[in-house]
Amino acid sequence: MSYVLAIDQGTTSSRAIVFRGDISIASSAQQEFPQHFPASGWVEHEPEDIWTSTVAVCRAALEKAGITAKDIAAIGITNQRETTIVWDRATGQAVHRAIVWQDRRTADICARLKSEGHEPAISARTGLIVDPYFSGTKVAWILDHVPGARERAGRGELLFGTVDCYLLWRLTGGEVHATDATNASRTLLFNIHTGQWDDELLKLLRVPRSMLPEVKDSSARFGDSAPDLFGGAIAISGIAGDQQAATIGQACFEPGMMKSTYGTGCFALLNTGATPVASSNKLLTTIAYQLGGKRTYALEGSIFVAGSAVQWLRDGLGIIRQAAETGPLAEKSDSTQSVYLVPAFVGLGAPYWNPRVRGALFGLTRNTGPAELAHAALESVCYQTFDLWAAMRADWPDADGANIVLRVDGGMTASDWTMQRLADLLDAPVDRPMIQETTALGAAYLAGLKAGVYPEPARFADNWRLERRFKPVMSAATRQRKLAGWARAVKGVLASDEGEG
């Protein structure tokens, strides 16, 4: 049994990847599923679509690899974080569609919690800010808006879970209701210092404790899949939220190691070791992973627009046909121009957390054309990463004495131009790995670690392979000039905030 099956359940699709004992990929399968937008700012998934697509891709991946359940040592699960499902304990029927992490319907609940002065206490316990992004207010919304749900929850008839928890429950035929510490830490209901569900937070958000799953290590024996699903029972031995799984897949096991994942948006996590670091710069404090009962913490920063800036060039402006054209186009730009794009299409994420501002272009001239816009779009991702980098270094007391390593993954990292510019603006090396499927690899590693297929973290880190290191070559004067220009552009966008109205 030298194979591990990784389930990567994402926001727009479900994927399954079969990894061999040497972490090479034997096969993969992917299936998209529908998105539902019932009102402005609302995003939902049908839980049954999540389930059926997950089972389908697992079966397809096993078939492609030419293996059966008896060849699989373990299953690992990684998932879109914060997405919230409430279902009937007896029947497994969801009482409402899944409310997706992007959904903003609980903004009023969050505003009330802030106005009543609860945010400092919530942040101190959870490491999070009060925002609709997280699961706690979504559960409260479902209980308040589905007829009879609050009464049924009070009687112990309903269960809550993030997507990993829901899949585990379905995979085990309703035998196991559990999650891991990384997913629990994204709910607004979990105390990241004690490692327990927090009674004060549950009371504040009016969520009955009976709904909550057991919280386990990220690498643990969670249960076995029902034999009829894949032709035999398979141990489920690893769970982590997608960004934490990517951190593990990048082997960022030492304090000071940092990974940045570039998809539609960008998520950066900095390993801070056994000590949770409270942010003074609007970053999140979160659990990176929990192994052997010991929690390792991270600082996390979220950028809302990364790859979607390139999609805007393609779909909004029509100046490229495919994303791969952006780097070569940017190389042709006029070096005498200083064009800045602040891509606040849906507001600004960390370290600003302002959902009301909108994007802007600065420094346009008559000679500004497609090449300069491509340059500005790619560079905007690098500048935003610099803002997270600077905030993390300011927040983490050990940063000054550490050589922070940045490991990158995701679609945008295929652009050599962008990765070189990132190294230049950070004034630090940027490492791109051989295996880009870091999120699925992280889930596979957690499962394979428990199953004895993969070695302890230190030895697994030795298997991490560098594809290319980008070293800074930009002069200090040029770097400072460009960063100062970016700071002015962001200041201009923030000044345009006209408030809620």
Side-chain angles (χ1 to χ4, degrees), residues 282 304 344 346-358 493-494 497:
K282 298 186 179 178
F304 295 154
V346 288
L348 284 172
Y352 307 103
W353 284 106
N354 189 324
R356 297 179 302 274
V357 296
R358 291 296 175 260
V493 165
L494 292 172
D497 178 8

Side-chain angles (χ1 to χ4, degrees), residues 241-318:
D242 54 10
Q243 301 309 320
Q244 285 94 338
T247 304
I248 293 161
Q250 287 279 34
C252 291
F253 294 119
E254 295 296 322
M257 297 185 74
M258 177 179 170
K259 76 90 197 174
S260 196
T261 299
Y262 296 93
T264 301
C266 162
F267 294 87
L269 270 76
L270 170 70
N271 184 327
T272 63
T275 307
V277 176
S279 176
S280 302
N281 294 281
K282 298 186 179 178
L283 300 176
L284 306 177
T285 307
T286 199
I287 295 175
Y289 49 86
Q290 182 173 307
L291 300 175
K294 294 181 180 178
R295 291 180 293 281
T296 295
Y297 296 92
L299 281 169
E300 177 177 327
S302 310
I303 296 168
F304 295 154
V305 174
S308 51
V310 175
Q311 291 172 335
W312 174 66
L313 296 178
R314 184 192 67 197
D315 303 334
L317 300 184

Side-chain angles (χ1 to χ4, degrees), residues 197-277:
W197 297 115
D198 191 289
D199 286 324
E200 290 297 317
L201 297 175
L202 294 175
K203 184 178 176 183
L204 187 61
L205 287 168
R206 298 168 63 225
V207 176
R209 181 178 268 274
S210 62
M211 297 182 72
L212 301 175
E214 178 187 357
V215 180
K216 296 192 171 195
D217 283 355
S218 306
S219 180
R221 186 63 185 264
F222 287 91
D224 293 322
S225 67
D228 59 328
L229 286 173
F230 309 121
I234 306 172
I236 302 164
S237 304
I239 292 178
D242 54 10
Q243 301 309 320
Q244 285 94 338
T247 304
I248 293 161
Q250 287 279 34
C252 291
F253 294 119
E254 295 296 322
M257 297 185 74
M258 177 179 170
K259 76 90 197 174
S260 196
T261 299
Y262 296 93
T264 301
C266 162
F267 294 87
L269 270 76
L270 170 70
N271 184 327
T272 63
T275 307
V277 176

Side-chain angles (χ1 to χ4, degrees), residues 148-216:
R150 188 163 286 287
E151 293 75 16
R152 293 177 65 199
R155 294 195 297 268
E157 295 173 11
L158 300 183
L159 300 177
F160 150 69
T162 42
V163 169
D164 62 295
C165 176
Y166 175 72
L167 288 177
L168 176 66
W169 196 85
R170 294 290 298 262
L171 285 165
T172 60
E175 291 291 319
V176 181
H177 185 221
T179 188
D180 90 300
T182 69
N183 279 293
S185 76
R186 312 297 294 190
T187 60
L188 277 184
L189 303 170
F190 188 75
N191 189 314
I192 63 170
H193 308 284
T194 65
Q196 304 289 330
W197 297 115
D198 191 289
D199 286 324
E200 290 297 317
L201 297 175
L202 294 175
K203 184 178 176 183
L204 187 61
L205 287 168
R206 298 168 63 225
V207 176
R209 181 178 268 274
S210 62
M211 297 182 72
L212 301 175
E214 178 187 357
V215 180
K216 296 192 171 195

Side-chain angles (χ1 to χ4, degrees), residues 7 28 97 142 146 169 171 173 182 246 248 257-258 277 281 304 343 355 365 371 378 422 424 444 468 500:
I7 294 171
S28 66
R97 280 183 183 151
I142 290 173
V146 174
W169 196 85
L171 285 165
T182 69
I248 293 161
M257 297 185 74
M258 177 179 170
V277 176
N281 294 281
F304 295 154
T365 72
L378 293 180
L422 181 59
D424 286 339
R468 180 171 172 184
E500 296 286 0

